[in-house]
Amino acid sequence: MIQIPKSIQSKSMYELIQLAYVDNLTGVGNRNLLEELRSDFENDDYFFIAIVDVDDLKTRNDKYGHEAGDELLKHIALDLQKAAAWVFRLGGDEFLLIDNYDPTLVLSSIPNISYGIVRKGQFEELSHAMHGADQKMYEMKRQHRKERQYDNRVKDAETSQTTE
């Protein structure tokens, strides 16, 4: 049996609920909250689902440190909260957004992310809708990689021309 530390035993019900349902880094909902609300989302067909992934977080962490990566996640989470009524951190650098309105306009203005958006009504279950949004997000992620590779080739070509 696990012994509950006294520091946890002394917390208020509000603090315990926060610990259980809110991501401690970003302040958005966590997977536990998503699971609690899943049946509500399953029974409603008219809303949009977006899966959002932070581009190149590992590279940023390696270059600038994990604290810088954490700060980036916090800033992006704040921006995502402007895009949707419900924001959940699924883990690492991946977020789920749920809202009655299409979040494309807000998401397209946030740098360093890839995202995929679907309307829940196109799918029978929430998990299928999430999978559809995930597929679209990976398409955008591949496109962003191609663009960065092209940009790097152009920079390399410009650098070699100036040094000749």
Side-chain angles (χ1 to χ4, degrees), residues 1 4 7 11 38 41 53 66 79 95 108 118 122 130 152:
M1 182 168 172
I4 306 295
S7 61
K11 293 198 181 296
R38 183 176 287 275
F41 294 135
D53 188 83
H66 288 275
D79 288 340
F95 296 87
S108 66
V118 299
Q122 298 170 298
M130 288 172 63
N152 289 338

Side-chain angles (χ1 to χ4, degrees), residues 119-137:
R119 202 175 114 267
K120 196 304 192 147
Q122 298 170 298
F123 302 89
E124 285 186 32
E125 295 180 20
L126 181 63
S127 62
H128 296 155
M130 288 172 63
H131 180 72
D134 203 42
Q135 295 293 352
K136 289 185 174 194
M137 180 271 298

Side-chain angles (χ1 to χ4, degrees), residues 21-36 38 41 49-54 73 76-77 80 86-98 114-116 126-127 129-135 137-138:
Y21 294 118
V22 176
D23 178 67
N24 65 344
L25 177 66
T26 62
V28 301
N30 63 20
R31 283 178 176 268
N32 294 336
L33 182 59
L34 176 60
E35 287 307 312
E36 285 292 322
R38 183 176 287 275
F41 294 135
I49 293 173
I51 298 286
V52 176
D53 188 83
V54 179
L73 287 172
I76 287 175
L80 295 178
W86 293 98
V87 179
F88 305 91
R89 184 172 175 208
L90 298 178
D93 61 350
E94 195 167 82
F95 296 87
L96 169 71
L97 283 65
I98 298 177
S114 295
Y115 57 89
L126 181 63
S127 62
M130 288 172 63
H131 180 72
D134 203 42
Q135 295 293 352
M137 180 271 298
Y138 277 109

Side-chain angles (χ1 to χ4, degrees), residues 55-124:
D55 292 335
D56 295 324
L57 183 63
K58 182 184 178 338
T59 303
R60 293 171 200 278
N61 282 342
D62 292 346
K63 187 172 184 177
Y64 302 109
H66 288 275
E67 287 180 3
D70 287 352
E71 286 302 311
L72 177 62
L73 287 172
K74 289 177 196 177
H75 287 289
I76 287 175
L78 286 172
D79 288 340
L80 295 178
Q81 291 176 72
K82 297 172 189 168
W86 293 98
V87 179
F88 305 91
R89 184 172 175 208
L90 298 178
D93 61 350
E94 195 167 82
F95 296 87
L96 169 71
L97 283 65
I98 298 177
D99 199 282
N100 290 331
Y101 301 99
D102 185 341
T104 302
L105 187 61
V106 175
L107 292 179
S108 66
S109 70
I110 301 173
N112 305 314
I113 65 169
S114 295
Y115 57 89
I117 302 169
V118 299
R119 202 175 114 267
K120 196 304 192 147
Q122 298 170 298
F123 302 89
E124 285 186 32

